[in-house]
Amino acid sequence: MTQTMRAARLHAVGEPMKIEQVERPVGFGSDVVVQVKACGMVPNLGNVLANWETWYPQMPLPPRPAIHGLDPAGIVHQVGEQVVGLKPGDRVYVNPGRFCGACHACSSGHPQACQHWTLGGYFGYNPKSLEMFKRYPYGGFCEYMLAPQAQIVKIPDNMSFVQGSRMGYLGTSYSALKKCGPLPGRSLIINGATGTLGIGATLFALAMGVGKIYAVARGDELLARLKALAPNRIETFSNRTGSTAEFVKTRTGGVGVDLMLDTLGAKAPLESMLDAMKGVRRGGRIINIGGTAGDLPVDVKWWMDEQMELIGSVWFTAAEGMEIAAMVEGNVVDLSIMEPMVWPLEKINEAISGVTKGDGGFTYYAVTL
């Protein structure tokens, strides 16, 4: 007899999601069924879904009716006959990255470079993502979801399911910092430091030994709250008052910082990113993980002469998720500085419309089941 479950499904862009009974997934082979306990809510989800096909027509959304939900955490319910290392009852986070698993990029540990790379429950990167949506049609806004065992991350007892649902943004920041190379004693600009990605980047930069963080954002109140995390290692600057590059140069004897992480949101002006980039020293490294879109007018002569490195970083691997889980278990990072706003699945549409009411990246959003 077919078993069913509750799921929030989007039937058309611009319409509210509907709570419906749908068929519950069954795991075979190397797939796992997870009973979802909490799922993170993208802060601008309502706006993103309403405008996606206009903003990013080349990046497909899941076929409708779709079950969205990017960052699920829960309990392993059932495992396929080829699954190893996981069992029913395990507390886990489900990394939504989906990929073919067979190409050179996947085999060498770089699944984000796979031509099938897709964020399940959210969006794809090219038409091949449609195949991934077909194989794994479940995001986290449902009671049970199917996922490949390679994307399951066990989480420790001191990480709640709601905290686990923040893993996506934490992992994105952590992965970008790893691309910076050795961090102990280095100096770092975090542009957009009080936002969803910026707070996580600050926490991990401190934990990974960055000597000085130049935290750049707009609002003084949230910047002051951020500085309080490590007053001797964090300097703050509101870019509403002037140039980030000029501020950083005055603090570094005109040299600039070693590294920069851009974490700006989708609506932020590119001028802010470009200005902050000029605060990076000769031979520095700049990593972009923000949502800002558009053509960046970079002086390629400056890029060459100053021997700058510009790197894009998308999402994070399951292995990096495991590293984060270990850091949380060992109290290397303290997630309690961030506070959740939580809604039950039945109030999914209220949640979507309420995700802009928090305190920047100090607030995160989740649906519980």
Side-chain angles (χ1 to χ4, degrees):
M1 180 178 179
T2 300
Q3 293 184 303
T4 62
M5 65 176 181
R6 291 178 303 142
R9 296 206 297 176
L10 182 70
H11 286 257
V13 171
E15 292 183 3
M17 293 186 184
K18 298 179 180 179
I19 306 297
E20 299 174 327
Q21 289 289 325
V22 300
E23 184 176 345
R24 183 192 296 184
V26 177
F28 297 98
S30 59
D31 285 341
V32 176
V33 176
V34 173
Q35 182 182 7
V36 180
K37 292 296 184 180
C39 184
M41 175 76 69
V42 176
N44 58 347
L45 181 61
N47 192 41
V48 167
L49 292 178
N51 294 282
W52 188 269
E53 291 168 341
T54 300
W55 291 349
Y56 311 114
Q58 77 282 8
M59 301 173 76
L61 290 172
R64 292 181 283 272
I67 302 174
H68 286 272
L70 184 62
D71 270 318
I75 299 171
V76 173
H77 175 71
Q78 182 238 331
V79 299
E81 66 278 9
Q82 296 178 9
V83 170
V84 294
L86 293 167
K87 65 183 186 304
D90 285 343
R91 304 175 75 255
V92 298
Y93 164 77
V94 182
N95 189 322
R98 302 288 178 264
F99 43 87
C100 77
C103 67
H104 184 274
C106 290
S107 298
S108 58
H110 303 286
Q112 293 96 322
C114 175
Q115 291 301 309
H116 288 80
W117 174 256
T118 301
L119 286 177
Y122 197 13
F123 63 86
Y125 286 81
N126 62 57
K128 292 185 177 181
S129 291
L130 295 175
E131 175 61 28
M132 295 294 101
F133 288 135
K134 181 179 179 181
R135 294 185 187 185
Y136 299 102
Y138 308 92
F141 295 152
C142 58
E143 291 182 301
Y144 296 87
M145 66 177 297
L146 187 70
Q149 69 168 351
Q151 290 299 83
I152 303 296
V153 177
K154 293 181 182 179
I155 60 175
D157 291 339
N158 64 335
M159 175 184 271
S160 70
F161 293 121
V162 170
Q163 287 175 327
S165 74
R166 179 71 184 250
M167 183 79 87
Y169 288 100
L170 293 172
T172 297
S173 298
Y174 175 69
S175 182
L177 286 166
K178 289 183 65 178
K179 293 178 178 68
C180 289
L183 291 175
R186 308 298 293 281
S187 55
L188 169 72
I189 293 172
I190 300 179
N191 196 32
T194 59
T196 304
L197 289 167
I199 296 295
T202 302
L203 285 177
F204 285 115
L206 291 171
M208 297 163 76
V210 171
K212 180 69 73 173
I213 297 171
Y214 295 91
V216 179
R218 293 185 301 167
D220 291 322
E221 183 177 344
L222 291 180
L223 281 169
R225 188 171 169 185
L226 191 65
K227 183 176 178 64
L229 297 178
N232 296 326
R233 295 171 62 191
I234 300 175
E235 287 199 42
T236 59
F237 177 70
S238 171
N239 56 13
R240 289 191 296 193
T241 66
S243 164
T244 297
E246 290 178 5
F247 167 78
V248 170
K249 290 290 183 71
T250 62
R251 295 297 194 277
T252 57
V255 175
V257 301
D258 301 309
L259 306 160
M260 172 184 155
L261 199 61
D262 197 274
T263 69
L264 292 173
K267 296 182 180 180
L270 282 171
E271 291 78 11
S272 173
M273 180 181 180
L274 190 63
D275 175 39
M277 288 169 59
K278 295 301 177 69
V280 181
R281 67 182 298 157
R282 179 179 177 82
R285 186 173 293 183
I286 299 164
I287 316 289
N288 179 39
I289 56 172
T292 309
D295 294 328
L296 190 67
V298 176
D299 182 347
V300 294
K301 191 70 164 59
W302 163 82
W303 186 356
M304 179 189 71
D305 288 346
E306 295 295 305
Q307 201 161 306
M308 308 300 292
E309 295 184 53
L310 280 64
I311 300 173
S313 180
V314 62
W315 210 244
F316 65 107
T317 64
E320 288 166 334
M322 295 173 190
E323 293 164 11
I324 292 171
M327 293 173 80
V328 172
E329 184 175 28
N331 297 311
V332 178
V333 291
D334 179 11
L335 302 184
S336 69
I337 70 157
M338 300 176 290
E339 300 177 357
M341 293 180 66
V342 179
W343 294 263
L345 182 66
E346 289 76 14
K347 295 187 177 181
I348 182 73
N349 293 301
E350 180 182 319
I352 290 172
S353 62
V355 295
T356 59
K357 299 176 182 178
D359 292 331
F362 285 101
T363 303
Y364 61 104
Y365 312 92
V367 168
T368 56
L369 295 95

